[in-house]
Amino acid sequence: MSVEPNRGAAGGAGAAGTAASQGADVATGGLVQRLGGRLAFGGDYNPEQWDEAVWREDDALMARAGVNLVTVGVFSWALLEPEEGRYDFGRLDAHLDRLHAAGVAVDLATPTASPPPWFTLAHPDAMPVTADGVRLVHGSRDTYCLAAPAYREAAVRIATALAERYGDHPAVAMWHVHNEYATVCYCDHAAAAFRTWLRRRHGTLDKLNDAWGTAFWSQRYASWDEILPPRATQWHRNPALTLDYRRFWSDQALAGYREQREAIRAHSPGRPVVTNLMVPEYQVLDLWAFGREVDFVGIDHYPCGPGIEAAADIAFGGDRARSFGGGRPWLLIEQGTNTLYSGDRVLPKEPGDVLRHSVAHIAHGSEGALFFQWRQSKAGAEMWHSAMVPHAGPDSRIFREVTGTGAAVSRLAEVAGSRVRARAAVLHDSDAWWALDVQGTPSAELDYHGALRRAHRALWDAGVTADFAHPAAPGLDRYPLLVAPALHLLSETAAAAAREYVRGGGTLLVQHFSGVVDEHHQAWLGGYPAPALREALGIRVEEYRPLAQGEVLRLSDGSTGTAWSESVEPAGATPVTTYTHGMLAGRPALTRHSYGRGTAWYLSTRLDDTAYGDLMVRLTVEAGVPPELTPPLPGVEAVRRWSPDGTRAWLFLLNHTDGPLPVPQAPGGHELLTGRQVAPGELRLPARGAAVLRQEP
Ligand code: GAL
């Protein structure tokens, strides 16, 4: 079992990944080619839940809706392998043949996210154990331990059997390994694999003890066998151990993915292999590492919140998907037709949302729009989850909207292969996220994910399309503007890269409590942040001062800060705003430093929304990063995709408001959804609708 540490510095939109070297046939280009040049439209298809009469209706309805790609077999393990080593492929043979005859391509999944009951009984040691020591049993899904040899062997076995049988089946257009790697385990198998991983990472126990600071609280390890996963313990766990476990577990998942991918590639060369990633609050995987290993990035996306919140969330997810794939086109593998998560309930989408959300994903670089799932289940744990064909059947608003969306997606075929070009990026590093997610940080309001979203949202509100980039990725200088909202952990290399970025002419905004620990989770000494970053920022943070819940600090320009404040000493930087009262009165809250040919800003508190938005606009102006639409139109999102040679562009305009809107600043061009030519300044967006203008500059 491979436990190669596999995480590292590289990663960022534009970075060439492993997949790129596999050639165009296994990237989205190969998929689109297999779909006859069309973008993908369809969803998870689970015919095993239905009978023959329904399958016949499925064929007819899929044709009506313009479905050309379905994901098959995601949760079929118990049917495909009814007992260990005995396969029954009869039903799957028939479904693939039927789909192929109907002109529907297949994204064939390995069913390894849900081992059958016989597997649990035969291999109880392969069931996951929680941090509290509870061993889980079957009866749901995602119940397996990625470090258990029996699970890994069984997963590769079923993946191999599927690839041998269907590797060259004409229906199979791509492979879908597993489903949303997410389960974390703390069992003895995991402990053993963790120790192996740690030996590779740290080399010697002395180095591990130093890196983890085990002199504190008598934690010194005298033998590798003494090291345990971060299981339930009396009080705060060692943060460096917790961080290394996160890294280790992501590598475990990646090793599991790679094994299946290689088994498939051996029998199905030339067809893309991917897994469906969850992009929003998904902390278990280092998505930069996965982005380098998949043939293209595939994501599942379920917006949290209705209206404009859903729209911002789709942009956030899409920009992340694109960035994890090195800027290449990606694929939306799952979304809900009528599903918006909102706290303890699922809210319905408004009329028009299915189409606009699908077009929004495509605007951000997806080569199609797939859903979970084709037909709403009549039984089982997700029977109330929306689908393309709801319980009510095809005579329903949802199916009509699905059909309309299928037609719209088919009109967008010519955008396939084009790319979004972003000139601003938000720095994101899983290590920084995990490092801030340990116990014992100074404030519960230090929220990595929240800060990341907020930075992206402020750029999105300013009408600017943003990438995400890893702080140590090569080529950051192609972005005139970089925002580092929560780079809690920063290695010396990444700090030096940030300094050189500014020196070379970039504009960088760094926000509070960034660059305060190194890659081992040890504090940078002598004042925060890391020395190279201090130099670029022209400041030294002497003391952090978390604010009480609800405490509001007024700043010199009338704006306010909450959650956090810091005692910042300028060392070359100019204060832009200062704190006005309390112990920090007169000290800088926001600073600006000209360094080399660039400018570095430091923000030491959580600015109120308006001031933060204004700051982001100011930075985009200073950095020369214009909005896609000038001036931006409130409620209208604009994103451009460019042909690889830059001779054509498609301007996607999405009306996230409830009323029709004229867009006088829109250029002219051929509008793909209506098929009409639009004169400059004449575009009118329907309420909750979209337009896609072809431009040939
Ligand atoms: C996804 C998952 C699907 C289905 C869906 C419901 O995360 O991959 O199988 O559960 O959520 O929203």
Side-chain angles (χ1 to χ4, degrees):
M1 182 185 305
S2 159
V3 286
E4 272 305 310
N6 144 52
R7 310 187 59 265
T18 318
S21 59
Q22 304 293 323
D25 54 340
V26 292
T28 46
L31 171 66
V32 170
Q33 208 177 354
R34 282 178 193 279
L35 299 179
R38 291 171 300 159
L39 298 183
F41 187 71
D44 277 40
Y45 182 41
N46 299 304
E48 60 272 31
Q49 297 172 15
W50 304 96
D51 60 20
E52 209 166 332
V54 176
W55 303 337
R56 274 197 300 274
E57 192 191 37
D58 287 341
D59 290 343
L61 295 180
M62 283 187 192
R64 213 202 292 176
V67 166
N68 61 6
L69 181 68
V70 291
T71 304
V72 175
V74 189
F75 295 110
S76 302
W77 197 344
L79 296 180
L80 294 173
E81 191 180 0
E83 56 188 75
E84 186 146 2
R86 182 170 73 76
Y87 301 107
D88 179 356
F89 290 125
R91 271 171 290 223
L92 191 53
D93 288 351
H95 290 309
L96 293 200
D97 292 348
R98 175 174 57 86
L99 287 163
H100 184 59
V104 176
V106 169
D107 166 25
L108 190 55
T110 65
T112 51
S114 199
W118 61 253
F119 179 83
T120 321
L121 300 179
H123 306 286
D125 65 304
M127 291 295 101
V129 173
T130 65
D132 290 334
V134 178
R135 191 178 288 282
L136 306 180
V137 293
H138 64 254
S140 178
R141 69 171 183 189
D142 303 305
T143 321
Y144 54 83
C145 168
L146 272 165
Y151 170 75
R152 289 276 280 274
E153 282 157 22
V156 171
R157 210 170 48 231
I158 184 82
T160 307
L162 283 164
E164 279 172 355
R165 192 166 187 94
Y166 302 110
D168 59 2
H169 193 289
V172 175
M174 60 180 278
W175 289 88
H176 177 300
V177 169
H178 200 85
N179 192 68
E180 297 180 339
Y181 281 102
T183 305
V184 183
C185 177
Y186 300 83
C187 75
D188 290 343
H189 290 307
F194 184 39
R195 291 175 199 130
T196 307
W197 185 95
L198 289 171
R199 278 176 194 262
R200 294 209 179 139
R201 181 172 174 83
H202 295 281
T204 67
L205 264 185
D206 281 347
K207 284 192 180 150
L208 177 139
N209 278 307
D210 284 351
W212 285 8
T214 56
F216 192 70
W217 283 354
S218 178
Q219 290 176 351
R220 188 159 190 87
Y221 295 103
S223 120
W224 294 97
D225 290 340
E226 292 172 4
I227 301 171
L228 299 173
R231 294 175 180 158
T233 186
Q234 176 57 25
W235 205 46
H236 290 348
R237 295 186 195 98
N238 182 308
L241 180 156
T242 307
L243 172 61
D244 266 353
Y245 201 75
R246 294 280 189 122
R247 292 165 162 154
F248 151 74
W249 198 259
S250 178
D251 282 353
Q252 280 292 298
L254 197 52
Y257 168 75
R258 279 204 200 120
E259 282 167 8
Q260 290 201 42
R261 182 194 64 193
E262 293 314 308
I264 292 166
R265 279 186 182 164
H267 300 284
S268 195
R271 293 178 210 222
V273 185
V274 311
T275 184
N276 51 337
L277 304 167
M278 287 189 281
V279 273
E281 297 189 41
Y282 195 40
Q283 288 194 60
V284 173
L285 306 181
D286 174 13
L287 296 175
W288 292 121
F290 267 78
R292 290 192 291 273
E293 299 283 341
V294 289
D295 285 333
F296 57 78
V297 167
I299 66 159
D300 298 347
H301 195 273
Y302 295 90
C304 17
I308 200 75
E309 298 309 316
D313 199 30
I314 288 169
F316 179 75
D319 290 343
R320 273 161 67 78
R322 185 181 67 249
S323 303
F324 294 131
R328 294 174 300 141
W330 51 278
L331 182 64
L332 174 70
I333 294 184
E334 288 183 26
Q335 65 173 329
T337 52
N338 209 21
T339 314
L340 292 168
Y341 289 104
S342 179
D344 60 355
R345 66 209 62 213
V346 174
L347 297 178
K349 289 192 180 181
E350 296 295 328
D353 284 357
V354 174
L355 186 146
R356 198 177 74 266
H357 289 180
S358 300
V359 175
H361 283 287
I362 294 169
H364 287 268
S366 176
E367 296 287 66
L370 308 184
F371 296 82
F372 175 85
Q373 59 178 331
W374 164 250
R375 197 178 267 281
Q376 188 170 7
S377 302
K378 68 180 161 89
E382 292 192 325
M383 59 191 284
W384 304 117
H385 192 283
S386 73
M388 299 168 82
V389 183
H391 285 158
D395 182 11
S396 56
R397 171 185 76 89
I398 290 176
F399 188 67
R400 280 187 286 278
E401 289 209 23
V402 163
T403 305
T405 304
V409 170
S410 75
R411 289 184 205 118
L412 300 180
E414 67 181 58
V415 309
S418 61
R419 291 177 175 222
V420 173
R421 294 178 183 172
R423 302 192 69 234
V426 179
L427 294 179
H428 160 64
D429 179 9
S430 311
D431 278 358
W433 188 338
W434 295 331
L436 198 54
D437 201 36
V438 299
Q439 295 164 311
T441 54
S443 168
E445 287 193 72
L446 290 167
D447 170 6
Y448 180 91
H449 186 73
L452 196 73
R453 265 180 187 277
R454 193 164 187 253
H456 179 270
R457 175 69 185 263
L459 287 165
W460 188 76
D461 285 338
V464 167
T465 304
D467 278 344
F468 289 85
H470 188 282
L476 290 178
D477 55 1
R478 71 182 171 284
Y479 301 108
L481 175 62
L482 289 180
V483 181
L487 273 190
H488 180 64
L489 175 151
L490 200 65
S491 67
E492 199 171 345
T493 319
R499 182 189 57 204
E500 294 315 306
Y501 166 80
V502 180
R503 200 204 297 271
T507 298
L508 172 70
L509 170 68
V510 177
Q511 293 176 217
H512 63 267
F513 215 41
S514 281
V516 295
V517 298
D518 68 9
E519 64 272 32
H520 298 303
H521 204 283
Q522 300 214 354
W524 283 105
L525 302 180
Y528 315 113
L533 192 55
R534 274 204 320 255
E535 188 184 327
L537 291 168
I539 53 137
R540 174 173 175 265
V541 177
E542 187 193 318
E543 190 183 333
Y544 51 87
R545 186 179 177 282
L547 301 183
Q549 216 176 10
E551 188 178 351
V552 179
L553 291 186
R554 189 152 298 279
L555 308 183
S556 53
D557 65 351
S559 62
T560 55
T562 53
W564 194 264
S565 62
E566 287 169 354
S567 170
V568 178
E569 281 170 33
T574 311
V576 178
T577 55
T578 50
Y579 294 100
T580 58
H581 57 262
M583 153 185 153
L584 297 178
R587 285 201 170 256
L590 174 66
T591 60
R592 182 178 189 279
H593 185 221
S594 297
Y595 180 77
R597 297 185 3 239
T599 313
W601 294 71
Y602 187 71
L603 176 59
S604 63
T605 184
R606 188 183 193 281
L607 269 191
D608 64 81
D609 287 347
T610 308
Y612 188 59
D614 290 348
L615 172 62
M616 216 56 102
V617 170
R618 178 170 175 185
L619 294 178
T620 58
V621 171
E622 276 197 18
V625 177
E628 297 277 6
L629 201 61
T630 315
L633 193 57
V636 172
E637 179 179 1
V639 193
R640 250 188 206 85
R641 285 180 66 156
W642 292 85
S643 63
D645 62 4
T647 57
R648 274 176 150 197
W650 292 267
L651 176 62
F652 288 72
L653 291 159
L654 307 155
N655 178 2
H656 299 307
T657 74
D658 291 338
L661 276 179
V663 190
Q665 60 272 65
H670 178 78
E671 201 285 299
L672 269 53
L673 296 176
T674 55
R676 296 212 183 99
Q677 191 64 27
V678 179
E682 296 286 295
L683 184 80
R684 208 179 150 77
L685 288 170
R688 294 194 222 100
V692 183
L693 288 173
R694 182 202 302 145
Q695 297 177 270
E696 274 150 312

